[in-house]
């Protein structure tokens, strides 16, 4: 860590280094950059030009302005846990890493809000206010390490969004550096419905293509008085998913309603946080209910009854917090756990109307058979968000490609069932083409038009989210408009 | 997908080509990184990532670099060496990893490659050799230094050095270290050199071997004494094999796996007749449990190492498992517990030492946030990477509760480092080894009994 | 005559019986059209928009008309596009708890239909009998229960929108969780119809509560500080009120007969937990406060009445002497107390009457001012000055056209106005839709 001089002749590297204050805040050697050639999605890789570590909004703005003025492509990165490749520098971008902007700037319990910098880690927020009885609701499984800035970019969900909503429902205000380097504030002071189009909503989930968030005002919630976790094992997937529907239809809004299938259970049981699930069951439900203590037993009893009606093999309520924590650790590390039963996995993120669950699972099984790859299923069953995990071995030639195709086929199944291709992981580069499963060319262009307002030169995180050649669409569209004009003219 | 992604040129599918640029014996084990799915769950557990925010200074990044060398994308060079050697080897990532990736093992193997590719030269080599080859494996030399230090403290020279300003000539981190040198007492290996077996008080239930450790016995012989006291009080005959040596952890951490193997063999032989090998230094315990890693290519010794590693047990776990007398005398103190990395992450021992402390009447335990976060000691890391070690220590000290009187832990390296922290940040906690506190409680009980008699 | 040409052109698109020529006096709220059209399909809407877009015609959009006095400085556009015929449920998937509905469907009708399945749209809006779901969303209306259930941006999962060039765009989808592409739904919620015509809405639903009650806590000595500490106590407790709304004495009198600051605390859950929470309020209630608990139907009746206190743009204009204005005020949650204090000061020193309420858990207030034109305008200015000092905003939700022309309905342009303008220009380059109805005249 000793002070070193910039060992590069590249004037851009020197200028970028000067903005962030020198060698300690920039990476440009290949050996250092290689760790940034992908994020949580590892099937595409590309080296960035450099990685810079700004300390504050002003530095971010200067970096952005420099890149913009010099036509250098750039993108923002948080912890790099994204699963769709949103932070992969496919154009050799300058990566603006926000991990050193990790302060908790303010907590206002009375008005139920906190202000954080984008590099602040999700779980730290909850940890820092939990002794006062508060928490931050969005809880993606990577919350131990993912940043709130990244959560905003991806509109991250989590196990508890069934009742409490995803990131967008908890963001009150943002400070944003626009792709030209200008700093704006939206949702000023975290006040609701500030006049104007809802840029807050638009930016949340824009996968870092509209601006770089440098400050975030989030809503914090009071912890529910009581919380109970239920674990239920089913011999048939259809029984498990019927139970899910029954619970929701009964007017219960569980805080979380998670499901894992047989292969997923095999994975988590072989990994670091096993809890001893039986290996021969087809489906496991993890249900959490919370709320006022006086009413919680009614909910529990109702859920237990509903499970029993659907032939549950075993259903139990966690005896204490430790037990519930163990069940949750087992579930939350589910993706990583696949490493224990397969060298590689590809996680997909489809959403379906939850009533179609059994049907969709059957079709995913067919995809698995067709491609000869095992597919584990972990899902947020309550809101129909499926995570098919395609297991493969990248060392076997051709298997990565096969996995990608199988993953795509799973998304097609979801889209055909009236659902969508991503519920919380984002499109990134992974699902660009699959966007066509759910949107028409016009609908995609409606979105790229919005991008043009913010990011006219497309230097910020280009090549993400939308299928690549939008040009032919524009031509088609142009033709159509003139055709319409003629028609109108004659009437 | 590459077919549809026409504009992306340099994005080959990740394929693994043999072991690429690892050209030396004992390369990193491919199966260890195959489990890593790049999920990033390890990031926040890593003290160097916390300090730098840089991916190559995170467990995921390091594994990725190690893998990249095997894939032929990188070479074993200085840029590769920096992140691999900046690792504290605290193993917190191993705890955090959902897929049980043995990051620590990979790092040590990679260090072995680096040391073979780029042998140390100049001053660094001299320092390294002095500590690792010249000192730790040689108890007599260590003792000699201990005597010198003792002389230094007792003779008034310490005062002179401190007063005259001589101290300002020493490098800053060495000055800091000097300030916290524990009071040097007689090593137990010297004290008991004529006793084959130190007899249990009362009826002997077990007989255990005791690793006195290299630095431990010089700097912290009182802890070794406490360990012996506690063991014998609880019905254990204690044997201190004469030809035991340094466990080799520091060598293996530094990439000198060859010396590591040599020391391992010596210890395996030294403790051959013992059924249990009791260790009071987490780093040593962890290393000795991992001896089999060193002999992957040597079936004969591998077998012996596996046998040996099963015998190794940390003192706190051993007492917890075999039962111990609950002290009756009260030690009224507010205490917090620091998880030594190689106890919590390396050996999965977290609750046992806490229970042990809580069994002492009068002890009030205050929770330390991030108790299992590395303190920055990491063997001789605080000597080789003072800046990073200092930063890690700073964040550790920020978590130490204000109102405690003692910080207890189970590793001598941590004790020195935490003592440094206490001194540096103007705190006033006493640093104790878990087993010491238990010993004091017993002693107090005895005094009280004696007085009563 | 231009209007005749327009009529002729429109006849090529719609049957004559679904077109009405505006006659007689100008509507005092403005936002009318020379010809009102009643399309009954998306295709017809698309044709009308395409026609207007290519012929430089301006379109004003109307649903139930309750928000006719909200924004806009024009008496009349060329075409008033009514969505009254775009009415009805398209799909209600009971098991999925999602609902797709045509934009012109009155809100109350929807709730009634859903109630049969023990479900509801978790929005509480003004004039639910008249307001259409499309209008609620386009104007982003919400009520006190936003604390518990959120607003349109939390409930809408998909839209169908017809762009000025006639393209039909779907945003979002039919599933409750969706991050495919930009969250375009958000762009249209609260956009006041300036970007496109919302033709269809998909919403996520919630179960009807098994039990509900409303705790009314009256504070006779009017000490706002005391109310503040009590509210903090409630917010910091384990209680889960779906509304924590403070009513000013005049509004409380109108709704409850008590001329006192009153907190309306609403609980919706299963019966045991509702009673448990009522009990808790009892325990912590300040010494001199008075408590009333309204359960089930009584609570619902209270809220029904509550949703009708704001001026309704669709109502007949009778009183020409006094002017009514409705304001939406947004501040940091507990500043609601300060807003209500300002309201009190204003009322004490001016010949006006003000009904006001605000949510202590979400920071939005509704303030209804009645008085002479001059007094109303100066009251708006007064409130705007003091609210802006708190960092908040004042939007005028209802005001006669002639007065709207004298003030900035939306307040000052935000510093990032160029983005709003950019979005508008991208989607509606010819400015045909609800021209001037929104922030900064877009």
């Amino acid at each position: 860590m000793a002070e070193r001089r910039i060992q590069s002749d590249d004037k851009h590297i020197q200028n970028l280094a000067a903005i962030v204050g020198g060698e300690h805040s920039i990476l440009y050697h290949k050996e250092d950059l290689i760790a940034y050639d992908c994020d949580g999605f590892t099937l595409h890789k590309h080296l960035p030009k450099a990685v810079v570590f700004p300390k504050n909004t002003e530095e971010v703005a200067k970096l952005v302005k420099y890149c913009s003025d010099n036509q250098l492509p750039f993108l923002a990165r948080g912890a790099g846990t994204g699963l769709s490749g949103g932070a992969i520098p496919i154009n050799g971008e300058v990566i603006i890493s926000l991990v050193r902007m990790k302060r908790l700037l303010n907590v206002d319990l009375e008005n139920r809000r906190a202000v954080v910098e984008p590099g602040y880690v999700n779980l730290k927020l909850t940890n820092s206010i939990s002794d006062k009885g508060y928490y931050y609701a969005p809880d993606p499984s990577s919350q131990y390490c993912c940043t709130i800035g990244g959560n905003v970019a991806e509109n991250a969900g989590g196990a508890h969004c069934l009742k409490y909503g995803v990131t967008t429902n908890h963001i009150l205000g943002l400070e944003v550096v626009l792709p030209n380097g200008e700093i704006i504030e939206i949702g000023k002071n975290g006040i609701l419905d500030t006049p104007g189009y809802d840029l807050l909503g638009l930016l949340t989930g824009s996968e870092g293509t509209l601006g770089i968030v440098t400050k975030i005002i989030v809503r914090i919630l009071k912890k529910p008085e009581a919380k109970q976790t239920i674990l239920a094992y089913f011999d048939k997937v259809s029984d498990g998913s019927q139970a899910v529907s029954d619970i929701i239809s009964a007017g219960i809004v569980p805080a979380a309603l998670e499901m894992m299938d047989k292969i997923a259970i095999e994975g988590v049981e072989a990994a670091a946080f096993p809890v001893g699930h039986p290996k021969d069951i087809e489906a496991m439900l993890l249900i959490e209910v919370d709320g006022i203590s006086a009413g919680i037993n009614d909910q529990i009893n109702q859920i237990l009854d509903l499970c029993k009606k659907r032939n549950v093999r075993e259903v139990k309520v966690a005896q204490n917090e430790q037990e519930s924590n163990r069940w949750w650790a087992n579930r939350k590390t589910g993706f990583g756990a696949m490493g224990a039963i397969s060298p590689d996995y590809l996680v997909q993120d489809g959403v379906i109307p939850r009533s179609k669950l059994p049907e969709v699972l059957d079709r995913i099984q067919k995809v698995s058979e067709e491609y000869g790859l095992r597919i584990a299923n972990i899902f947020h069953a309550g809101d129909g968000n499926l995570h098919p995990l395609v297991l493969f071995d990248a060392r076997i030639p051709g298997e990565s490609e096969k996995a990608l195709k199988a993953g795509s086929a799973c998304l097609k199944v979801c889209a055909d069932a009236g659902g969508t291709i991503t519920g919380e992981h984002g499109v990134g580069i992974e699902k660009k083409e699959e966007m066509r499963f759910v949107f028409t060319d016009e609908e995609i262009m409606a979105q790229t038009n919005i991008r043009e307002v913010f990011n006219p030169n497309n230097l910020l995180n280009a090549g993400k989210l939308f299928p690549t050649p939008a040009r032919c669409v524009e031509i088609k569209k142009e033709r159509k408009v003139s055709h319409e004009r003629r028609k109108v003219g004659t009437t | 997908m590459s077919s549809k992604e026409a504009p992306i040129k340099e994005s080959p599918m990740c394929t693994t080509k043999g072991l690429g640029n690892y050209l030396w014996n004992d390369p990193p084990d491919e199966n260890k990184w195959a489990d890593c799915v790049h999920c990033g769950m390890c990031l926040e557990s890593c003290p160097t990532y916390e300090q730098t925010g840089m991916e190559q200074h995170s467990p995921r990044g390091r594994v990725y670099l190690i893998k990249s060398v095997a894939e032929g994308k990188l070479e074993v060079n200085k840029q590769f060496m920096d992140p691999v050697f900046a690792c504290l080897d605290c193993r917190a990532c191993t705890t955090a990893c959902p897929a049980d990736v043995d990051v620590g093992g990979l790092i040590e193997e990679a260090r072995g490659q680096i040391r073979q590719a780029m042998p140390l030269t100049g001053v660094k080599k001299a320092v390294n050799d002095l500590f690792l080859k010249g000192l730790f494996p040689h108890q007599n030399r260590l003792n000699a230094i201990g005597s010198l230090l003792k002389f230094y403290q007792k003779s008034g020279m310490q005062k002179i050095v401190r007063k005259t300003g001589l101290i300002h000539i020493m490098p800053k981190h060495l000055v800091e270290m000097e300030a916290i040198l524990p009071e040097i007492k007689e090593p137990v290996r010297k004290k008991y050199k004529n006793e084959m077996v130190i007899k249990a008080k009362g009826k002997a239930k077990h007989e255990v071997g005791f690793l006195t450790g290299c630095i431990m016995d010089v700097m912290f012989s009182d802890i070794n004494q406490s360990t012996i006291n506690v063991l014998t009080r609880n019905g254990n005959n204690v044997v201190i094999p004469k030809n035991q040596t340094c466990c080799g952890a520091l060598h293996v951490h530094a990439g000198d796996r060859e010396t590591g193997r040599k020391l391992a063999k010596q210890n395996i032989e030294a403790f051959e007749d013992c059924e249990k090998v009791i260790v009071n230094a987490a780093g040593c315990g962890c290393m000795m449990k991992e001896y089999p890693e060193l002999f992957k290519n040597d079936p004969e010794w591998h077998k012996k190492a596996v046998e040996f590693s099963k015998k190794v047990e940390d003192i706190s776990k051993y007492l917890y498992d075999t039962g111990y007398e609950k002290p009756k005398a009260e030690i009224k103190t507010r205490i917090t517990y620091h998880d030594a990395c190689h106890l919590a992450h390396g050996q999965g021992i977290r609750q046992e030492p806490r229970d042990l402390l809580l069994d002492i009447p009068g002890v009030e335990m205050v929770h330390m946030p991030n108790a299992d976060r590395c303190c920055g000691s990491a063997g001789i890391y605080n000597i080789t990477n003072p800046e990073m070690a200092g930063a890690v220590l700073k964040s550790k000290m920020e978590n130490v509760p204000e109102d405690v009187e003692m910080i207890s832990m189970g590793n001598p390296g941590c004790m020195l480092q935490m003592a440094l922290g206490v001194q540096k940040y103007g705190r006033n906690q006493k640093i104790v080894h878990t087993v010491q506190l238990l010993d004091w409680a017993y002693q107090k009980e005895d005094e009280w009994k004696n007085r009563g008699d | 005559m231009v209007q005749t040409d327009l009529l002729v052109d429109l006849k090529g698109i719609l049957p004559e019986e679904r077109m009405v020529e505006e006659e007689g006096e100008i509507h005092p709220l403005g936002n009318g059209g020379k010809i009102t059209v009643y399309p009954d399909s998306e295709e017809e809407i698309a044709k009308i928009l395409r026609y207007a877009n290519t012929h430089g015609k301006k379109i004003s959009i109307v649903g139930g008309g309750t928000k006719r006095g909200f924004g806009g400085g024009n008496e009349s556009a060329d075409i008033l596009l009514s969505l009254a015929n775009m009415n009805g449920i398209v799909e209600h998937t009971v098991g999925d708890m999602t609902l797709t509905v045509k934009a012109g469907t009155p809100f109350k009708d929807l709730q009634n239909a859903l109630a049969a399945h023990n479900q509801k749209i978790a929005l509480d809006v003004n004039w639910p009998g008249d307001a259409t779901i499309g209008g609620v969303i386009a104007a982003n209306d919400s009520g006190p229960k936003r604390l518990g259930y959120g607003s349109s941006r939390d409930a809408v999962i998909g839209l169908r929108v017809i762009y000025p060039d006639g393209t039909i765009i779907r945003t979002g989808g039919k599933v409750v969780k969706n991050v495919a592409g930009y969250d375009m739904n958000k762009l249209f919620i609260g956009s006041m119809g300036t970007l496109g015509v919302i033709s269809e809405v998909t919403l996520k639903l919630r179960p009807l509560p098994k039990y509900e009650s409303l705790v009314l806590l009256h504070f006779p000595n009017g000490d706002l500080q005391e109310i503040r500490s009590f509210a903090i106590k409630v917010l910091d407790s384990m209680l889960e009120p779906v509304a924590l709304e403070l009513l000013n004495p005049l509004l409380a009198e109108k709704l409850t007969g008590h001329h006192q600051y009153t907190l309306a605390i609403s609980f919706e859950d299963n019966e045991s937990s509702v009673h448990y929470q009522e009990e808790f309020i009892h325990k912590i209630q300040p010494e001199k406060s008075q408590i009333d608990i309204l359960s089930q139907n009584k609570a619902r009746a209270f809220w029904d009445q509550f949703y009708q206190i704001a001026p309704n743009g669709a109502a007949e204009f009778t009183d020409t002497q006094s002017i009514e204005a409705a304001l939406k005020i947004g501040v940091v949650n507990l500043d609601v107390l300060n807003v209500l204090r300002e309201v009190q000061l204003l009322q004490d020193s001016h010949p006006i009457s003000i009904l006001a309420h605000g949510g202590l858990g979400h920071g939005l207030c509704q303030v209804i001012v009645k008085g002479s034109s001059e007094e109303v305008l100066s009251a708006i200015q007064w409130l705007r000055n003091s609210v802006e000092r708190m960092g908040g905003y004042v939007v005028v939700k209802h005001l006669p056209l002639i007065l709207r022309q004298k003030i900035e309905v939306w307040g000052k342009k935000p510093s990032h106005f160029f983005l709003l303008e950019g979005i508008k220009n991208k989607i509606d380059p010819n400015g045909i839709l609800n021209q001037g109805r929104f922030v900064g005249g877009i």
Side-chain angles (χ1 to χ4, degrees), chain B residues 3 27 41 50-51 53 92 97 107 138 239 244 270 273 286 301 429:
Chain B
S3 52
M41 290 293 225
E50 184 190 25
Q51 294 305 325
C97 178
I107 296 272
H138 307 282
V239 179
Q244 62 170 290
D273 298 331
C286 186
W301 275 98
Q429 283 81 17

Side-chain angles (χ1 to χ4, degrees), chain C residues 168-202:
Chain C
I168 299 170
I169 298 292
R170 292 166 309 150
T171 65
K174 306 222 158 170
V175 283
V176 297
K177 211 169 158 193
N178 189 351
V179 295
Y182 294 148
D183 190 354
M184 297 283 280
N185 289 330
K186 300 288 191 291
L187 212 46
F188 300 95
I189 297 169
S191 69
M192 299 299 292
T194 56
L195 295 177
V197 177
I198 297 172
S199 58
E200 205 175 282
V201 181
T202 305

Side-chain angles (χ1 to χ4, degrees), chain C residues 151-343:
Chain C
S151 63
S152 292
R153 73 197 296 281
D154 305 299
V156 172
I157 56 174
L159 295 173
R160 286 175 71 93
V161 182
I162 302 150
Y163 268 23
D165 67 0
T167 321
I168 299 170
I169 298 292
R170 292 166 309 150
T171 65
K174 306 222 158 170
V175 283
V176 297
K177 211 169 158 193
N178 189 351
V179 295
Y182 294 148
D183 190 354
M184 297 283 280
N185 289 330
K186 300 288 191 291
L187 212 46
F188 300 95
I189 297 169
S191 69
M192 299 299 292
T194 56
L195 295 177
V197 177
I198 297 172
S199 58
E200 205 175 282
V201 181
T202 305
L203 297 140
K204 69 173 165 195
L205 306 173
R206 295 200 48 122
L208 275 181
K210 296 190 170 66
Y211 192 85
E212 70 178 288
S213 82
L214 174 68
V215 179
L216 293 168
L217 202 58
H218 310 289
F219 291 84
N221 53 8
D223 178 357
L224 286 170
Q225 198 51 45
E226 184 186 47
I227 298 173
R228 186 188 154 91
S229 5
F230 176 76
I232 289 172
K233 222 182 265 175
V234 171
L235 287 165
D236 196 45
S237 72
M238 81 305 164
L239 295 181
E240 297 179 350
V242 296
L244 181 63
E245 198 78 4
L246 180 61
L247 320 182
N248 78 337
L250 212 55
L251 178 57
E253 183 173 24
K254 190 177 160 92
L255 293 172
T256 71
H258 292 71
H259 185 89
Q260 286 156 356
Y261 278 111
T262 297
L263 261 182
I265 313 169
S266 205
F267 296 114
E268 302 185 352
D269 205 330
N270 55 33
E271 191 171 349
S272 42
S273 101
V274 169
H275 290 323
Y276 176 78
Q277 296 184 81
E278 292 165 352
E279 216 24 61
F280 190 88
I281 296 281
H282 256 305
K283 269 186 229 146
I284 62 165
Q285 99 182 75
E287 214 173 305
K288 285 181 193 132
S289 63
Q290 190 197 325
I291 211 166
D292 283 325
I293 297 179
L294 311 180
S295 300
Q296 297 285 71
N297 282 336
K298 280 185 186 153
R300 286 190 280 268
F302 173 92
W303 289 115
D304 285 345
Q305 201 193 345
F306 188 96
Y307 300 135
Q308 307 201 350
I309 54 171
N312 180 351
E316 290 289 317
F317 258 76
T318 46
D319 187 353
T320 47
Q321 289 306 303
S322 85
I323 296 292
E324 215 177 356
L327 313 178
K328 175 176 181 174
I329 296 180
V331 287
V332 172
N333 304 0
L334 289 171
D335 273 342
V336 163
L337 291 149
N338 295 327
V339 173
L340 263 64
R341 174 180 290 127
E342 289 297 326
V343 163

Side-chain angles (χ1 to χ4, degrees), chain A residues 303-477:
Chain A
I303 290 173
L304 295 181
D305 283 348
L306 291 169
C307 287
K308 283 173 194 153
K309 277 190 194 134
R310 293 293 174 187
N311 312 314
V312 69
R313 184 197 289 188
E314 187 190 350
V315 58
K316 51 188 176 183
V317 182
Q319 289 309 302
N320 49 42
E321 211 181 322
Q322 284 88 331
E323 186 167 31
S324 149
N325 287 346
R326 278 200 305 124
W327 294 352
W328 271 113
N330 173 275
R331 159 63 192 88
K332 286 210 165 191
T333 52
F335 293 174
M338 292 304 133
I341 56 166
S342 170
D344 298 276
Y345 74 86
L346 174 77
V347 53
Q348 275 306 356
D349 178 36
V351 189
I352 51 162
R354 95 196 115 222
S355 54
K356 301 258 174 80
L357 210 58
E359 169 192 331
V360 166
L361 288 179
D362 280 349
R363 288 171 65 187
I364 288 179
Q365 179 54 35
K366 296 217 173 69
V367 171
S368 162
E369 285 159 16
E370 187 184 333
Y371 288 90
L373 294 172
R374 299 216 295 164
I375 300 180
N377 286 293
I378 294 187
F379 33 78
H380 309 301
D383 39 33
N385 188 187
L386 303 192
H387 293 307
L389 295 137
V390 184
L391 309 183
F392 68 102
D393 186 345
R395 290 170 296 187
I396 300 171
E399 207 160 285
S400 303
E401 289 83 351
K402 219 156 75 174
L404 278 168
K405 284 191 189 135
S408 180
C410 290
L411 294 184
K412 189 83 177 63
V413 169
C414 294
D416 290 348
T420 189
I421 57 165
T422 174
E424 54 185 10
H425 295 171
V427 176
I429 50 180
E430 183 202 16
K431 294 184 275 286
K432 278 158 63 168
E433 290 304 321
E434 284 75 7
M435 282 283 276
R436 297 191 196 281
F437 293 169
V438 284
F439 290 119
T440 63
D441 289 346
E442 284 84 2
E443 286 159 355
I444 289 169
M445 206 175 75
Q447 300 179 45
T448 52
N449 276 343
I450 298 300
R451 182 183 65 195
E452 272 172 34
V453 174
F454 289 79
N455 185 10
N457 302 322
N458 204 11
L459 285 169
L460 173 59
N461 214 6
K464 307 283 165 70
L465 252 150
F466 304 110
T468 348
R471 225 172 293 121
C472 62
V473 184
E474 277 158 39
I475 294 163
K476 216 161 80 191
K477 169 119 180 147

